[in-house]
Amino acid sequence: MAITVKEAAIVAIIIESILYGVLTFVFGVTVWALTYQRASAEIARTMLGAACLLFILGTMHIVVDANHLWQGFITSGDPDIFFQDITKDTFKNALYLIETLVGDAIIIYRGYLMWRRIEFTIVPIIGWMAVVVTGTHTVWSISQLSATNPNIIFLQQTGQWVVSFYSTALATNLVATGILTVKLWLAHRNEAGFLRTSTSNSVVYPILVTVMECGAVYSFSLITMLAVYLSASNSAYIVIDMIGQIIPITFCLIIVRAAMLRFERDRGFRLPMSTLSSPPRSNQISTPRSTRVQVNHVRVVGSDDPPELSRRGDPWEDSVTDKKSAQPITSVGSGAI
């Protein structure tokens, strides 16, 4: 027997409440990881602001769902008639669209910071713009549907926009995550090759795995949404409420895993810059009688993200490097280094 819209609303609020509890815990850890023992200048404001925005959107999402459920079963005269009006979900659909756009925008922004080349982000930027168009039209078209037939959302005219929205969102996320993953993998390979360390000792590898896992979870949820929608199942109402919490959860998990690298300083971890970038030009040899060597390396201090992948600094956010470790070491003498 197929699930009704009323039944789907009950199941959705239960699952969403569980996921919101997970989000609340993860968000608290995220704020702690970004602010603990940090000066104001060391706080990654972009990531902190994005995490707060997604948490607010996730909170608004569950509040709207809870209010919708209350009105349907408590204040309305007939729950069956109430839940047939899918136009009441317009505000919730708009919140979901904003969550999608914010999450994808941050991933694309990260990819740009990692590569420092705009051509690598052109495709995901175009995909993001397509998500804006298809998502906006989808929200508008659903708001114009009949208030007496919930199955009208699965009809062809509306369905083609819904499928287009989720397809472009899936493609954009896959491309943006792929660009980020490739750069992290290259950094991990360079680090392992230079330091001859195992995977378990790699600094970049844990972030690489987290990005891949979170991207896989989000992509799988979008694929599930497409599958249940194309099968014209009311389970789509359950999946869309789940995704409303999955987006901020996965984003906060990536921030937390990257932010935990700052605690490597307590173990005295130091990563040579040459593992992730070309040798700095400041390395120089003065004269045959004396040799001046400037040793540059990066220490993970107060950074919420992986070590730098370019000469321009921390690709994830403004990082704080150990300035003392960048001072030149000079020894004067015949052939001394």
Side-chain angles (χ1 to χ4, degrees):
M1 181 178 178
I3 187 173
T4 64
V5 178
K6 180 174 63 176
E7 295 169 342
I10 297 176
V11 176
I13 194 64
I14 295 174
I15 299 177
E16 187 177 9
S17 298
I18 296 174
L19 291 176
Y20 181 73
V22 176
L23 170 61
T24 303
F25 172 76
V26 174
F27 174 72
V29 176
T30 301
V31 174
W32 172 82
L34 291 176
T35 59
Y36 179 69
Q37 291 183 346
R38 292 197 179 191
S40 177
E42 297 175 339
I43 296 177
R45 292 181 177 83
T46 302
M47 291 301 99
L48 182 60
C52 291
L53 176 59
L54 287 175
F55 177 74
I56 292 173
L57 291 173
T59 302
M60 293 176 64
H61 196 281
I62 193 172
V63 168
V64 170
D65 281 337
N67 180 66
H68 186 68
L69 200 68
W70 175 270
Q71 291 180 353
F73 287 101
I74 305 300
T75 61
S76 68
D78 190 338
D80 293 320
I81 296 178
F82 180 86
F83 285 104
Q84 286 180 355
D85 185 7
I86 59 176
T87 61
K88 291 184 172 67
D89 293 330
T90 300
F91 182 66
K92 182 179 70 174
N93 294 334
L95 289 176
Y96 173 79
L97 173 60
I98 296 174
E99 279 185 320
T100 302
L101 295 176
V102 172
D104 289 345
I106 292 298
I107 295 297
I108 295 172
Y109 173 69
R110 288 303 200 185
Y112 169 73
L113 289 181
M114 294 288 259
W115 287 97
R116 295 292 180 179
R117 298 176 63 180
I118 189 63
E119 57 265 27
F120 284 101
T121 58
I122 290 179
V123 173
I125 288 175
I126 294 176
W128 187 85
M129 295 173 64
V131 173
V132 173
V133 175
T134 57
T136 303
H137 194 282
T138 298
V139 173
W140 176 83
S141 61
I142 293 177
S143 67
Q144 304 301 311
L145 296 177
S146 171
T148 58
N149 182 15
N151 293 325
I152 197 173
I153 194 175
F154 300 110
L155 298 181
Q156 183 177 4
Q157 185 174 3
T158 303
Q160 62 185 4
W161 283 103
V162 175
V163 173
S164 298
F165 166 66
Y166 284 106
S167 298
T168 52
L170 176 61
T172 301
N173 180 261
L174 288 175
V175 174
T177 305
I179 292 174
L180 195 58
T181 300
V182 168
K183 189 61 176 178
L184 288 172
W185 178 80
L186 291 174
H188 163 64
R189 187 185 64 175
N190 292 340
E191 176 194 357
F194 185 89
L195 298 179
R196 298 180 180 178
T197 59
S198 61
T199 297
S200 60
N201 295 326
S202 173
V203 178
V204 183
Y205 184 76
I207 302 177
L208 171 62
V209 173
T210 303
V211 170
M212 293 178 62
E213 290 176 344
C214 291
V217 170
Y218 178 54
S219 298
F220 179 75
S221 64
L222 291 178
I223 293 173
T224 303
M225 182 62 192
L226 281 171
V228 296
Y229 182 82
L230 291 175
S231 62
S233 172
N234 289 325
S235 300
Y237 295 102
I238 302 175
V239 179
I240 191 173
D241 288 345
M242 292 173 57
I243 300 177
Q245 303 301 325
I246 289 176
I247 293 175
I249 288 175
T250 53
F251 179 80
C252 288
L253 284 175
I254 294 176
I255 295 180
V256 168
R257 190 61 190 90
M260 294 306 291
L261 290 180
R262 64 193 288 252
F263 298 107
E264 291 287 348
R265 67 180 177 179
D266 297 331
R267 300 191 321 215
F269 177 85
R270 291 173 182 268
L271 178 65
M273 182 181 296
S274 56
T275 63
L276 302 179
S277 62
S278 57
R281 296 179 181 177
S282 57
N283 288 3
Q284 56 181 345
I285 298 177
S286 55
T287 66
R289 300 166 67 180
S290 65
T291 303
R292 178 183 298 270
V293 178
Q294 177 171 316
V295 180
N296 286 314
H297 54 270
V298 174
R299 183 181 181 184
V300 181
V301 178
S303 171
D304 56 7
D305 297 305
E308 68 175 46
L309 305 178
S310 68
R311 299 178 185 177
R312 298 185 61 180
D314 190 353
W316 292 84
E317 192 58 56
D318 296 337
S319 62
V320 180
T321 57
D322 188 355
K323 295 182 179 180
K324 293 182 180 179
S325 63
Q327 296 297 325
I329 302 176
T330 306
S331 177
V332 180
S334 178
I337 296 180

